[in-house]
Amino acid sequence: MSNWDDLRFFAALARVGSLSAAARVLQTDHTTVARRIAALEARLGVKLFDRLPRGYALTDEGAALTVRLGAVEEAVLAFERQAGGAGQAIRGVVRLGAPPAFASQWLMPRLAPLLDRHPGLVLDLSVANAISNLSRREVDLSLRLYRPEDKGLVARHVGRLTYGLYGRRDYVARGDDWRYIGYDGELSDVPQQRWLRELAGATGVGLMTNDLSAMLAALRAGMGVAAVPHVLAGGEDLVCLRDGPEAARDLWLVVHPDMRRSPRVRAVMDALVEATAPLRAG
Amino acid sequence: MSNWDDLRFFAALARVGSLSAAARVLQTDHTTVARRIAALEARLGVKLFDRLPRGYALTDEGAALTVRLGAVEEAVLAFERQAGGAGQAIRGVVRLGAPPAFASQWLMPRLAPLLDRHPGLVLDLSVANAISNLSRREVDLSLRLYRPEDKGLVARHVGRLTYGLYGRRDYVARGDDWRYIGYDGELSDVPQQRWLRELAGATGVGLMTNDLSAMLAALRAGMGVAAVPHVLAGGEDLVCLRDGPEAARDLWLVVHPDMRRSPRVRAVMDALVEATAPLRAG
DNA sequence: GCTCATCTGCGCAATTTCGCACAGATCATC
DNA sequence: GATGATCTGTGCGAAATTGCGCAGATGAGC
C-alpha cells in the first residue's frame, strides 16, 4: 500500500463515527478525512463505510478490518514509545509571544497540562505584540490577533475571539448614561475599538488605556462599559449588554517554518491548538 | 505521530542503505525520501541515520527501532492481505493504448506477470495512437511517445527510448550503399525520421512504411537500414551502425485523473511502471 | 412545526509536497 | 591520474493535498 497514513484516518473515523468528529480528533478538516477515506477505499477496492446523513458507519468489511487495524495502531504506538525513549525528552526553552491579557488571563492556566507532560520544558511567555520579534527569532512562535503578511512565516488559524459590550452588573443597572472605556494611541483602530466608538456616539470615550488587563480591571471596578472578548469576561460581576459580531478578531498561531521541526516547539504548538479548540467551535 | 507514511520510507531506506536505492524501491524521487526521513527524525527527535557520502547508515537508535518497524510492516501487510481478500479481486477490463510495435514486440510479453497475478483481469491492448481516444474514454490509460498537453490528463514519465541506425549483419557488410527505410505520411516529422533523412542525405529514403513492425520486418529481411529503438532491435541479426541521441523519444504513461482510483487501472499502471523500469535506468 | 446543532459534500484558493535539473563529492576501475 | 557510475543536497516549478466557506440535509429538543 502506497500510503500508510490513510490508516490513521480509518482508525479515527472507525472510532468516532463522523467526519466532523474524526477531524477534531485528528486536528484537520472534515473534507480531508473524507478524501483520505475515499482514497483508501479506492486503493483497497473495499467499501469501508456506509455514508449516512448523520455520520459514517462501518460496513461489514470495514468492521472486519478493524482488528488488523488495531494491530497496526499498536505497532505504531510501540514504535513511538521506543522512539520517545530513544530520543531526548522534550526539553529546553520555548519562547512564546501572545497578546498580554489573553496570555495572562486566559491562556497561561491552560498551558499547565503541557508543562506537566514535559517536565524538561521551559516556557518563556512574552507579551510583546510586535511581529518583528518572531522574524528576529526573539520568540519561537506567537499567537496573534491578525494574520501576518510576511510570506516567510507560517500562520495557522486557531480561533476566533468574539466581543461583547460588558459592564459590571450594578453599574449598568443604573441607566443608559454609561462611561465608555476604550483604547488609546496605536490601538484606536482595532475593530472592537471602532465598534465601541459607534456605540458611544456623541457621548464619546470617557476612559482610555492601552492595556486590556487594565480595561478589565476598570470594568470590574464599575468604572464604565467596554468592548472585551467574551472569553475574558468571565464571572458573575460582568454582564454582556450587547454582542459585537463586527468586532470579532481571528486568532493566529504564527511560527517560522524552520522552527516547526523542533520537537519542543512542535509540542507547544500542539498544546496551543488543543487549548484553543473551544475558540474554534461554534 | 501525525504521519505514519514516513515509516514506509524509513523501512525502505533501512533495508537498502541509500536514498537513490530507496527511491527506486518506492518508485519516487531520492529527494522525496530525504525529506521524509528528515521529517520523521524531526518529529521523533531522534537521529535515525548517519549521512555518509555513499549512503545512509542506521544509527544505533535507528537500528534499535527497526525491530518495532518490522512489527508495523507486518501489521500493515496483514491488514492489506485481509483487505485484499475482503474486497473484490482485481477483475474486469482495462483498455490500454500503446504504440503498435512497442506494444506488440516489447510490452506485451512483459505484461504476463500482471495477468498471472490477477486472473480476473482482462487487458484490452489497443494500438491506436490518437490521444483523443483517452479523453473520450475509449481507453482507460495509454502509453505515448509525446507528452499530452491536455491539462485534464495526468502524464507520468516512465522511460526514454533511444534510437540507433540498424541493419542486418550481412546486409551492412557489403558496403556503404544502403537503402534507407523510413516513415511516410504523417509520421515523416517524428524525431527519428528527421535524423534518418540527415543520414540518408542525397541518397534519400528508399523504402517507406507507416508501421514500425513492418519496418523491423524489412530490417530482418535485409532490405535496408532504419532508425529504430534499441529495445526493439534485439537479436543477433541486427547490428547498430550508429547511435542516434538526437532521435530519442520520451515515453509517457497517460491516464485520466478519475481513472487512477480504479483498483484494476491502478494495478495495470503499477505493472507498466515496473515493466518500463529498464527504460529509465541509464 | 420550528429552531438549532451537527452532519456531509462541493468548489476554489492556499499551502504543502514532490519531481526535476543540476552541481559537487566519492569511490571503483582502468 | 582520469573516467564513469553512483551518491547526496539544493533550488525551483509543477502537482497534489489541505483548509475554508458555503449549501443543503437530518434529527433532537422544545
Side-chain angles (χ1 to χ4, degrees):
Chain A
M1 186 158 50
S2 59
N3 189 353
W4 295 1
D5 201 47
D6 290 343
L7 296 180
R8 215 166 35 92
F9 289 74
F10 181 9
L13 183 57
R15 184 169 288 121
V16 297
S18 78
L19 294 177
S20 305
R24 286 192 291 275
V25 167
L26 297 166
Q27 295 184 354
T28 187
D29 195 80
H30 76 277
T31 53
T32 299
V33 180
R35 290 189 193 103
R36 291 299 202 96
I37 295 302
L40 182 61
E41 287 179 328
R43 195 154 40 241
L44 296 177
V46 180
K47 188 174 177 66
L48 300 169
F49 294 93
D50 288 321
R51 275 81 170 148
L52 305 178
R54 296 298 283 184
Y56 273 40
L58 280 162
T59 59
D60 290 339
E61 294 90 347
L65 282 164
T66 54
V67 175
R68 299 291 184 183
L69 186 60
V72 176
E73 280 188 290
E74 285 177 24
V76 172
L77 263 145
F79 176 93
E80 287 173 329
R81 279 197 292 271
Q82 186 172 336
Q88 298 179 3
I90 302 283
R91 64 186 303 107
V93 178
V94 173
R95 300 163 299 171
L96 169 64
F102 179 80
S104 61
Q105 300 194 25
W106 190 88
L107 181 61
M108 184 64 92
R110 287 170 170 78
L111 293 175
L114 168 68
L115 300 183
D116 290 343
R117 286 201 290 274
H118 307 292
L121 181 64
V122 174
L123 190 66
D124 179 355
L125 184 59
S126 163
V127 302
N129 270 315
I131 198 68
S132 60
N133 63 10
L134 205 154
S135 299
R136 286 201 300 270
R137 311 305 180 92
E138 288 165 2
V139 294
D140 300 310
L141 50 79
S142 72
L143 286 163
R144 290 280 169 265
L145 287 172
Y146 52 90
R147 181 162 195 172
E149 293 178 359
D150 188 334
K151 293 294 189 253
L153 299 174
V154 177
R156 173 173 174 172
H157 182 259
V158 291
R160 188 166 180 79
L161 294 181
T162 50
Y163 285 70
L165 184 69
Y166 278 86
R168 202 168 78 177
R169 187 178 299 277
D170 60 347
Y171 178 88
V172 304
R174 69 188 186 192
D176 273 354
D177 194 13
W178 299 322
R179 179 187 297 118
Y180 287 84
I181 307 170
Y183 283 117
D184 64 4
E186 65 189 6
L187 293 169
S188 57
D189 257 348
V190 295
Q192 66 270 32
Q193 181 61 13
R194 288 201 290 267
W195 178 57
L196 188 89
R197 285 203 292 270
E198 284 178 23
L199 294 175
T203 306
V205 172
L207 174 60
M208 287 183 285
T209 179
N210 68 347
D211 182 25
L212 182 49
S213 294
M215 187 176 291
L216 288 160
L219 282 181
R220 292 194 177 98
M223 297 169 72
V225 297
V228 297
H230 289 302
V231 296
L232 298 184
E236 291 183 3
D237 283 352
L238 300 181
V239 295
C240 181
L241 304 169
R242 189 165 163 173
D243 225 5
E246 60 271 50
R249 303 288 297 276
D250 283 312
L251 187 67
W252 297 88
L253 177 57
V254 188
V255 63
H256 192 281
D258 292 340
M259 295 308 298
R260 284 184 302 175
R261 288 182 174 291
S262 162
R264 62 183 190 279
V265 171
R266 182 78 250 173
V268 175
M269 286 177 67
D270 291 345
L272 290 171
V273 167
E274 187 179 342
T276 50
L279 305 182
R280 291 192 290 284
Chain B
M1 183 160 50
S2 59
N3 188 353
W4 296 359
D5 202 45
D6 291 343
L7 296 180
R8 216 166 36 92
F9 289 74
F10 182 10
L13 183 57
R15 186 167 287 120
V16 297
S18 80
L19 294 176
S20 305
R24 288 192 289 275
V25 167
L26 297 167
Q27 295 184 354
T28 185
D29 195 79
H30 76 275
T31 52
T32 298
V33 181
R35 290 187 193 103
R36 292 298 203 98
I37 295 302
L40 182 61
E41 287 179 328
R43 194 155 38 242
L44 298 177
V46 181
K47 189 174 176 64
L48 300 169
F49 294 93
D50 288 320
R51 275 80 168 151
L52 305 178
R54 297 296 285 182
Y56 273 39
L58 281 162
T59 59
D60 290 340
E61 294 88 348
L65 281 164
T66 53
V67 174
R68 299 291 184 182
L69 186 60
V72 175
E73 281 187 288
E74 285 177 25
V76 171
L77 262 145
F79 176 94
E80 286 174 330
R81 278 197 293 271
Q82 187 173 334
Q88 297 181 1
I90 300 281
R91 63 185 301 107
V93 177
V94 174
R95 299 162 299 169
L96 169 65
F102 179 80
S104 60
Q105 301 194 22
W106 190 87
L107 181 60
M108 186 64 92
R110 287 168 169 80
L111 293 176
L114 167 68
L115 299 183
D116 290 342
R117 286 200 291 272
H118 306 295
L121 182 64
V122 174
L123 191 66
D124 179 356
L125 184 59
S126 163
V127 302
N129 270 315
I131 197 69
S132 59
N133 64 9
L134 205 156
S135 299
R136 287 201 298 270
R137 311 306 178 93
E138 288 166 1
V139 293
D140 300 311
L141 51 81
S142 70
L143 286 164
R144 291 280 168 264
L145 288 171
Y146 53 91
R147 183 170 192 163
E149 294 177 0
D150 187 335
K151 293 295 190 249
L153 300 174
V154 177
R156 173 172 174 171
H157 182 259
V158 291
R160 189 167 180 79
L161 294 181
T162 49
Y163 284 72
L165 184 70
Y166 278 85
R168 203 167 79 178
R169 187 178 301 277
D170 60 348
Y171 178 88
V172 302
R174 70 189 186 192
D176 273 352
D177 192 16
W178 297 324
R179 177 186 298 117
Y180 288 84
I181 308 170
Y183 283 117
D184 65 3
E186 65 187 5
L187 293 169
S188 56
D189 257 347
V190 295
Q192 65 270 31
Q193 180 63 12
R194 287 201 291 267
W195 180 55
L196 188 89
R197 282 203 294 271
E198 285 177 23
L199 294 175
T203 308
V205 173
L207 173 60
M208 286 184 284
T209 178
N210 69 348
D211 183 26
L212 182 49
S213 294
M215 188 177 291
L216 289 160
L219 281 181
R220 293 196 173 99
M223 295 168 72
V225 297
V228 297
H230 288 303
V231 297
L232 298 185
E236 290 182 5
D237 283 352
L238 301 182
V239 295
C240 182
L241 304 168
R242 190 166 163 175
D243 225 7
E246 61 270 48
R249 303 286 297 275
D250 283 313
L251 187 65
W252 298 88
L253 177 56
V254 188
V255 64
H256 192 282
D258 292 342
M259 297 306 299
R260 284 184 302 175
R261 289 185 172 287
S262 163
R264 63 183 189 281
V265 171
R266 184 77 251 173
V268 175
M269 287 176 67
D270 291 345
L272 290 171
V273 168
E274 188 179 342
T276 50
L279 305 181
R280 291 191 290 285

